[in-house]
Amino acid sequence: MIKNQRVTEKHLYSQSPGNIVSDMDGEKVMLSVQKGKYYNLGELGGEIWDLLKEPITIHELVTTLQSQYDVAQTECEEQVTDFINQLLEQGLVKIEDRINS
């Protein structure tokens, strides 16, 4: 796991393998098999998690969420960036360099 990584537009983000996710009353709950820890992703976090199945940029995440929710772009960017940072800290997502920068 890479410590002190910053979420940037220069990278693609995707789910790290080895997590079991289930839907509980509209919210996603995840078990990290590697860490033996449970995480409640919530409804919006679950949506973001689903979008991370394939490598995606922060901009693409924000654009998709804005098409589904009534949220300002800056607020959405801040929320998504914070959430991705938390997932990175826990080793639940991986970072890839963009192919066409």
Side-chain angles (χ1 to χ4, degrees):
M1 181 174 67
I2 302 168
K3 289 275 187 196
N4 300 324
Q5 271 284 8
R6 300 286 315 152
V7 173
T8 70
E9 268 300 316
K10 295 177 186 167
H11 296 104
L12 294 167
Y13 301 91
S14 61
Q15 298 175 1
S16 292
N19 300 301
I20 300 168
V21 179
S22 65
D23 211 342
M24 297 182 78
D25 296 326
E27 293 191 357
K28 293 234 188 294
V29 177
M30 175 174 27
L31 168 65
S32 170
V33 175
Q34 192 173 33
K35 292 183 175 258
K37 287 175 74 175
Y38 280 97
Y39 302 90
N40 182 351
L41 300 177
E43 186 179 341
L44 187 55
E47 292 250 0
I48 295 170
W49 181 255
D50 286 344
L51 293 169
L52 290 167
K53 283 181 182 164
E54 297 294 326
I56 191 169
T57 65
I58 295 296
H59 178 73
E60 290 168 328
L61 281 170
V62 169
T63 301
T64 302
L65 292 170
Q66 279 193 285
S67 72
Q68 297 172 0
Y69 298 94
D70 182 22
V71 61
Q73 183 171 345
T74 51
E75 182 182 345
C76 191
E77 285 172 356
E78 288 172 11
Q79 297 291 326
V80 168
T81 301
D82 287 347
F83 185 71
I84 298 292
N85 272 324
Q86 290 172 20
L87 294 176
L88 278 172
E89 286 171 15
Q90 296 299 318
L92 301 173
V93 294
K94 57 186 179 180
I95 301 174
E96 302 172 29
D97 286 325
R98 291 177 73 172
I99 296 168
N100 298 322
S101 298

